[in-house]
Each structure stands twice: as C-alpha cells, then as structure tokens.
Amino acid sequence: MLPTVADRVAQMVVKQVIEPDLDVVFLPDSYGYRPRKSALDAVGVTRERCWKYDWVLEFDIKGLFDNIDHTLVLRAVRKHVTYKWALLYIERWLTAPTMQQDESIIARNRGTPQGGVVSPILSNLFVLHVRSLDNADAPRPSLVSVCR
C-alpha cells in the first residue's frame, strides 16, 4: 500500500527538517538519495578509482527498503533525530499496518513505507548504523574506498 498524499506531504516536512542534521553524519562516499550528490557523481569517483586500484567491489542490497529492521533503524533515528514530533511520526510510519486489495490488514515489523518520501533517508541512516555496529572494532584498510 502506498502512502496517501497527506502522508507524503507530512513525510516531506519531516525529511526537510531532519535531513540537514543527518546528512553531515553520512559517509562522504555515500551517494544514494543524498542532496547535491548523484549517480553520475558516484560513477565519476568509481571511474577515477578504477585507474588507481587493480580490483573492484560491487554490491547491491536486495530488498533493502522491504527488510529494514525497525528496532535497529529506530535506534539510529533516536540517536540522530532530536525532534520528538519527528520521532513520533517516523515510528508511526514504520509500524503502520498495510491494507491489502482484499481489505485484509497486515501488521508490519520490518521495512519502510513503500514509495515513502522518508524511506531513502531512513535507509541511509540504517546502513550507516549497521556498518558502524558491524565494524566497530574492525581495522579499516587504507586502500578500501566505497561508493554507495
């Protein structure tokens, strides 16, 4: 089920309020759904790096928007979003049940709103948070550069 027009307007308000604070915590090589960054920018950086290194690592997170763990994303949101009203809305959007075509209601415990304006920024925050949990103590090789 796609968000209503009212949901999309409200999500845009939340996105515009939280994005300036969140954008500064994202990694410089994170290009997905970022202001003033584009797929062409990522391709340009990738092209430069292809001449510097003998290897390329590519990956795609299949079904990212559908499988984001609510507990982890809400932990990240609470860490970085200071507006209580925005936290309330984000939690409601994440956990709102969906109505199927046969009008049956399905509870959601993972994923972001399909087609939601706020979904891309939540996915970027989720990926950043999971990477920091996964690699908190891992040394970072100096030659590894990632474009997302």
Side-chain angles (χ1 to χ4, degrees):
M1 182 71 105
L2 298 174
T4 64
V5 172
D7 286 334
R8 289 181 62 80
V9 170
Q11 287 182 25
M12 180 58 82
V13 169
V14 169
K15 177 184 177 284
Q16 288 178 332
V17 168
I18 68 174
E19 190 170 51
D21 295 334
L22 292 179
D23 197 57
V24 297
V25 301
F26 294 143
L27 299 173
D29 279 346
S30 175
Y31 288 85
Y33 305 104
R34 298 271 308 278
R36 297 169 304 284
K37 292 195 175 211
S38 70
L40 288 176
D41 294 332
V43 169
V45 170
T46 302
R47 177 176 285 162
E48 285 178 28
R49 291 181 183 160
C50 284
W51 290 107
K52 291 181 183 178
Y53 305 108
D54 294 336
W55 51 271
V56 174
L57 174 66
E58 179 194 6
F59 65 93
D60 183 21
I61 303 173
K62 184 177 182 181
L64 173 64
F65 291 104
D66 297 330
N67 294 299
I68 287 179
D69 181 279
H70 287 174
T71 303
L72 290 177
V73 76
L74 286 171
R75 186 182 307 161
V77 167
R78 287 183 191 108
K79 179 178 179 180
H80 296 286
V81 175
T82 58
Y83 302 99
K84 290 185 188 232
W85 61 269
L87 293 169
L88 176 68
Y89 275 106
I90 291 168
E91 187 167 358
R92 287 180 179 175
W93 289 320
L94 288 173
T95 59
T98 58
M99 181 183 289
Q100 302 300 305
Q101 287 182 335
D102 65 0
E103 297 187 11
S104 62
I105 305 291
I106 297 177
R108 290 189 17 221
N109 59 4
R110 1 184 24 85
T112 59
Q114 180 183 358
V117 175
V118 76
S119 293
I121 197 163
L122 293 178
S123 72
N124 282 344
L125 187 58
F126 175 78
V127 169
L128 175 74
H129 185 68
V130 169
R131 282 189 70 201
S132 69
L133 289 176
D134 187 42
N135 297 321
D137 297 323
R140 302 227 186 248
S142 60
L143 293 178
V144 175
S145 295
V146 178
C147 283
R148 185 184 151 300

